[in-house]
Amino acid sequence: MTNTLTQAVVRNFLGNSPIWYKQAILAFLIINPILFHTVGPVITGWLLIFEFIFTLALALKCYPLQPGGLLALEAVAIGLTNPETVSHEIESNLEVILLLMFMVAGIYFMKSMLLWAFTKILLKVRSKSLLSLLFCFSSAFLSAFLDALTVTAVLISVCVGFYSVYHRVASGKPYGKTDHNHATDQEVSDTHKEDLLAFRAFLRSLLMHGAVGTALGGVCTLVGEPQNLLIAQKAGWDFVQFFTLMAPITMPVLVAGLTTCLLLEKVKVFGYGAKLPHNVRKVLEGFAAEQDEKRTKRDSAALMTQGIVAVFLVAALALHLAEVGLIGLTIIILLTAFNGIVEEHQIGKAFEEALPFTALLVVFFAIVSVIHDQHLFQPIIAAVLAMDPQDQPAVFFMANGLLSAISDNVFVATVYINEVVAALNAGDITREHFDSLAIAINTGTNIPSVATPNGQAAFLFLLTSALAPLIRLSYGTMVWMALPYTIVMSTVGFLAVSTTL
């Protein structure tokens, strides 16, 4: 009985994570208190940081909230930090938490309009190069004003819908049939197999162009990525000021990214260049026509309402009418009130995507509290600040870029911006120099982080979606397809930072 209960506890701990992963987390939890009382809090604090980055880097094995949360709780328990410092960090970053809670949920109620727009783009544009450019640019534009996770969710919804429609037809069933397993190709006829393979390659390339687009646009504004708002809040920048300060770096990177998109489709390397097969297009056009016929006047009114609210959203952000999170709450109220969404369970679904990452962000702040209380990054920051001031922004860009590519850009940005703020408050740097370093931190955490799914939340969201296995989009495939973008965008970003800051 005891052995059975023990086995059940072991299986329950971190769920379906691999045994070696569970053993690693348990080893961390056991060794940290021992090191704290033997070698001291500084070494233990550094080890804790690497352990936390370990959980971020292996997010596909287990969502980082649970293992990272256990490490954070232990850090408080053994005295690496305290609840008061954690609370202070949370209070200082309340605007970021409100952004994740309300803005992402607000955009959830715009999904039908965004879905309709991307559907029209996919079917109306015949040129693959132009279609890829439109997907990349549209994702960039939407991510600059909305949220990269939500934009990625829309892209996934569009592609899952079209894939399932064609897969049903390829399996000899009408595209209106719902009880079909599109995760297996056993029923796909031989005449459709080649088209299905080409369609998968087509969708992979579009999704990667769109995912990179969320990074290109997300770096430009204070609402594009969670760390942007955090940096802007620390620096005291509003929406327009943030965009203006970032533009000398972000605009050249945007042009370089869009140019890379076109070149990849023209030369057909790194997994790009696949076109939409003619037979697949015919099936999808028939399906879209049927959906248009089924659309009621109430559905059309809902789309119109979402369009009007979207215009208000852009204007409210640009004019900084209120804090971003409050604007997001306003969007929720307007869209639910005028589209008849009045039941609690309907509204609750909108928060499912945002709250897990919001909880993880609070765990970030607990780890940041350890860094703050133990002064772990002060020697590094001091060494960088001792360099020639003209070289410092470029060094920050490279350091942030490397760390963001292997861990998480929100965590990296949080750590570095806090240390730079401390240097400003201590009088070690001027306000002008602080602005240059803050720009380097923002661009460094956003641009090179496209290298791996670890760095960009939108990339990780895509990789862990139900669509990824359907179109054969693996971790290695994502890294390979992102490689040309990583090289071009990082190089242009580094040169822009070196010459303008």
Side-chain angles (χ1 to χ4, degrees), residues 9-10 13 27 30 160-161 213 251 275 342-343 357 370 393 396 415 451 455:
V9 171
V10 171
F13 178 67
I30 292 171
V160 166
M251 290 301 103
K275 296 184 178 181
V342 294
E343 297 180 12
F357 191 74
V370 174
F396 267 85
V415 170

Side-chain angles (χ1 to χ4, degrees), residues 16-30:
N16 295 323
S17 304
I19 295 297
W20 62 264
Y21 183 91
K22 297 180 181 182
Q23 292 172 340
I25 299 300
L26 285 174
F28 295 158
L29 295 173
I30 292 171

Side-chain angles (χ1 to χ4, degrees), residues 177-191:
K177 190 175 180 62
T178 55
D179 57 337
H180 171 69
N181 181 13
H182 51 259
T184 176
D185 294 344
Q186 291 181 351
E187 299 180 15
V188 175
S189 63
D190 292 337
T191 56

Side-chain angles (χ1 to χ4, degrees), residues 18 29 44 99 105 160 207 229 231 272 308 311 314 343 375 385 406 444 459-460 497:
L29 295 173
T44 308
L99 163 68
V160 166
L207 280 168
L229 182 60
I231 293 171
Y272 296 98
I308 294 172
V311 173
V314 173
E343 297 180 12
H375 310 290
L385 294 179
I406 61 175
F459 278 44
L460 189 60
V497 167

Side-chain angles (χ1 to χ4, degrees), residues 34 89 108 119 159 184 234 259 311 323 345 368 438 469 472-473:
I34 298 174
E89 289 292 337
Y108 173 88
T119 300
C159 293
T184 176
K234 298 287 186 182
T259 303
V311 173
E323 296 300 336
H345 73 276
V368 171
R472 312 300 188 259
L473 184 62

